[in-house]
Amino acid sequence: MNAHNTIITVGRRIGSGGKDIARMLATLFGARLYDKELLNLAAQQSGFCKEFFERNDERTNFGRGWLHFDNPLMGGSFYGSMFSQEGLYEFQCEAIREAARKGSCVFVGRTADYVLRDMPEATHVFVTAHGDDCLERVCQRSGMEPRQAAKWIADEEQRRASYYNYYTGKKWGHSESYDLCVNSSILGLEATAQFIANFVRARGLKKENKRKNNLL
């Protein structure tokens, strides 16, 4: 692990522009962006087809029970006819850790802040926005009517919170779970990305100065 790698995890409200901000951060730091790509990595490591991870992505519908699946989803590896959702989550966690070990990267969601909680060079960010801005962005991108979009946002955020809270023991979106929480409605997406980048740089500089002082 290179101590100068930049690792950023981005949690986000639906419609906050958090994914776009994560993409901008990856560009600013020359880092690799991991969102759905994590499912590919987890699939490669586990032997399951990517579609199996997509079907259960950020979901806790099965609790601590077993997932039943057909043989075509097994991707050529033998696991029997059942597999626990916790097993899938562990494959995904290992994919996150492996990606972080390889170089600078930005992770979107999937409890990456929790998985990398012991990695000192990682900065954990949560992006929120005003409700009206979230609703407008979702309507523009999906074509849904406002009432339909509002219900969809509420349902998806409940699912996302349930997944995060279940696996981390923390609370999704609560400030104590992150290094920085920022409202993208205040500055706009590009300026928010720059603000976060400055925070990451300042945090890294402070850690480097502390390390150097400890060596004196």
Side-chain angles (χ1 to χ4, degrees), residues 13-17 128-139 149 153 157 184-185:
R13 277 199 69 188
I14 292 174
S16 66
T128 187
H130 295 328
D132 289 346
D133 291 336
C134 292
L135 184 62
E136 181 180 357
R137 188 171 286 114
V138 169
C139 287
I153 290 172
E157 289 196 338
S184 64
S185 294

Side-chain angles (χ1 to χ4, degrees), residues 8 12-13 20 24 40 48-51 69 82 86 89 102 115 124 132 137 145 149 155-156 168 178 183 190 201:
I8 306 172
R12 74 284 183 217
R13 277 199 69 188
D20 292 331
M24 295 174 195
N40 287 326
F48 285 102
C49 289
K50 181 184 69 171
E51 289 76 16
F69 53 90
M82 297 189 302
E86 279 67 24
Y89 178 72
K102 289 182 176 179
V115 177
H124 309 300
D132 289 346
R137 188 171 286 114
E145 295 297 323
D155 291 344
E156 287 298 299
T168 70
Y178 310 93
N183 186 329
E190 291 187 6
R201 295 185 186 105

Side-chain angles (χ1 to χ4, degrees), residues 166-203:
Y166 178 78
Y167 283 111
T168 70
K170 302 194 295 180
K171 291 187 177 181
W172 177 77
H174 284 219
S175 60
E176 60 266 26
S177 298
Y178 310 93
D179 298 314
L180 175 68
C181 294
V182 59
N183 186 329
S184 64
S185 294
I186 305 300
L187 298 176
L189 300 190
E190 291 187 6
T192 297
Q194 289 287 351
F195 177 82
I196 295 171
N198 290 337
F199 177 87
V200 172
R201 295 185 186 105
R203 184 172 183 267

Side-chain angles (χ1 to χ4, degrees), residues 149-161:
K151 183 180 186 307
W152 182 80
I153 290 172
D155 291 344
E156 287 298 299
E157 289 196 338
Q158 177 60 45
R159 175 184 63 79
R160 188 173 289 177

